[in-house]
Amino acid sequence: EIKFILTETDTSVANALRRIMIAEVPTLAIDLVEFTENTSVLNDEYIAHRLGLIPIRYCAPDSLRGGDCHGAFLPHRECVCYEKCPRCSVEFDLDVNFDRIVNDRPENERDLPFTITSADLKSNNEFVSPAHFLNPEEQNESHDTGISIVKIGPGQHLKLKAIARMGIAKEHAKWSPVAVSTYRFDPIITINEEACATLTHEQKQQLVDVCPDRILELDEASGKLMVARDAWETATYTEDLRVTQTMMKKREEDDDFVTVEHNDDKFIFSVEGTGAMDAEEILMSSLRVLKERLNYLLNSVETLKDM
């Protein structure tokens, strides 16, 4: 997860960046599944769908971070191969037979179903693997070795071959590298000291308490209202504050005690990845895509001028 502040721009650029992170950053995802044997309780289509939603992580040879696969692979439709090749695809093998592995399990677990997870997918590319967990904390809390695919019992066997290809979420959501990508305006909180001087201590405390985001605090020594230290990070809902201070006014046209406005050229972004890419890499890749789009637009405009 990453949080950052984008400044000196407007909503159009902020929203373009957010939409690119969601839908236009290329990643790898399983796109084709060939079943050899499936005697589990789930049919082939259901398992193929679950495999497609497993985040696939590419780590460059000189890095341990989940990075941009743009330079390492070609889109399948642009590759000159007939079906698949190392330049445009990665092959995963999965072969789990309950009767074959049961003797390797502790004796008290041999009668329990075995959970096939993403850890059982074996890649033919050393730099590509499933993202089993989002972070080390999730890995420590999990009871499984990866993302659950299906459970099998005695006499059941799952064997398949899965092909992962590069794509973008505009084509299918399984290629989206983000779970959450949002932004909000930076709040500008102004306290009217002159108007607040007419309030009692109880009324000031009421203004503090009515805000669910706790953007205000009361200085016990001076009795003055102050903006909370982390107000810029927490301020999202201020309607209760507006209604309460309107009721406190002697006249409707009087100035507000506290005003909260949004900054039109400063945006607070929050981006959480699926595990396919590190959040910082998602941001850098989205900036690369945005730059390519703008260069394409510039070249198109120049071509039209020359016509």
Side-chain angles (χ1 to χ4, degrees):
E1 184 181 4
I2 183 175
K3 290 184 178 181
F4 64 94
I5 297 175
L6 182 69
T7 61
E8 298 181 12
T9 187
D10 59 19
T11 310
S12 62
V13 175
N15 201 44
L17 188 63
R18 182 187 70 87
R19 291 175 69 90
I20 288 173
M21 282 191 277
I22 293 172
E24 295 193 53
V25 172
T27 62
L28 293 168
I30 291 174
D31 195 41
L32 178 66
V33 183
E34 301 172 358
F35 287 87
T36 303
E37 186 170 355
N38 177 20
T39 54
S40 71
V41 295
L42 300 181
N43 58 40
D44 294 355
E45 292 80 4
Y46 201 103
I47 293 176
H49 182 263
R50 300 194 73 168
L51 289 169
L53 296 177
I54 293 176
I56 305 298
R57 190 177 181 89
Y58 167 74
C59 293
D62 57 347
S63 174
L64 296 175
R65 298 163 64 90
D68 191 346
C69 61
H70 172 72
F73 295 93
L74 284 172
H76 176 63
R77 295 181 182 87
E78 297 179 12
C79 191
V80 296
C81 70
Y82 177 68
E83 240 181 53
K84 60 180 183 291
C85 71
R87 188 75 178 109
C88 68
S89 60
V90 179
E91 191 173 296
F92 292 90
D93 289 311
L94 189 150
D95 185 4
V96 182
N97 189 322
F98 184 90
D99 296 336
R100 199 160 53 215
I101 64 171
V102 66
N103 293 327
D104 298 330
R105 304 177 72 188
E107 193 163 342
N108 61 331
E109 295 182 6
R110 291 180 180 178
D111 294 331
L112 299 176
F114 178 79
T115 302
I116 299 176
T117 70
S118 56
D120 295 304
L121 288 167
K122 308 304 178 186
S123 171
N124 70 343
N125 188 320
E126 62 178 318
F127 304 116
V128 178
S129 62
H132 308 304
F133 300 99
L134 190 60
N135 50 50
E137 290 76 17
E138 185 182 32
Q139 183 174 359
N140 293 334
E141 294 173 2
S142 176
H143 298 290
D144 294 321
T145 56
I147 299 171
S148 300
I149 299 172
V150 65
K151 290 186 177 183
I152 58 174
Q156 294 181 332
H157 183 198
L158 179 62
K159 184 177 182 181
L160 58 85
K161 183 181 295 183
I163 309 299
R165 294 168 176 160
M166 187 175 74
I168 59 176
K170 268 188 174 180
E171 184 177 351
H172 193 285
K174 66 185 177 183
W175 277 296
S176 179
V178 299
V180 176
S181 178
T182 62
Y183 73 83
R184 56 190 179 83
F185 294 98
D186 179 62
I188 301 174
I189 305 171
T190 306
I191 297 177
N192 188 332
E193 298 286 355
E194 186 178 346
C196 288
T198 64
L199 297 176
T200 65
H201 185 277
E202 289 73 18
Q203 287 175 317
K204 293 176 182 178
Q205 187 63 51
Q206 188 178 353
L207 290 177
V208 172
D209 295 338
V210 78
C211 249
D213 299 323
R214 296 290 178 175
I215 63 173
L216 301 174
E217 56 185 30
L218 192 60
D219 186 359
E220 295 297 334
S222 63
K224 290 184 177 181
L225 277 176
M226 299 189 306
V227 179
R229 185 176 300 176
D230 59 346
W232 66 272
E233 188 175 0
T234 59
T236 54
Y237 180 78
T238 58
E239 183 64 20
D240 288 348
L241 176 63
R242 186 189 65 81
V243 172
T244 301
Q245 64 180 344
T246 299
M247 295 172 60
M248 289 182 180
K249 291 179 185 178
K250 294 180 179 179
R251 294 175 300 179
E252 189 175 346
E253 61 270 18
D254 288 347
D255 293 336
D256 287 337
F257 304 109
V258 181
T259 58
V260 183
E261 302 170 311
H262 62 257
N263 194 338
D264 291 329
D265 65 351
K266 191 173 183 181
F267 307 91
I268 303 168
F269 271 80
S270 178
V271 180
E272 182 180 338
T274 60
M277 295 174 66
D278 285 11
E280 293 88 347
E281 294 294 329
I282 295 172
L283 173 60
M284 299 308 296
S285 297
S286 64
L287 292 172
R288 174 187 60 78
V289 173
L290 180 58
K291 184 178 178 181
E292 290 175 355
R293 295 285 187 271
L294 293 174
N295 286 336
Y296 175 78
L297 177 61
L298 178 62
N299 293 333
S300 299
V301 172
E302 293 296 333
T303 303
L304 289 173
K305 285 182 179 179
D306 296 337
M307 292 178 62

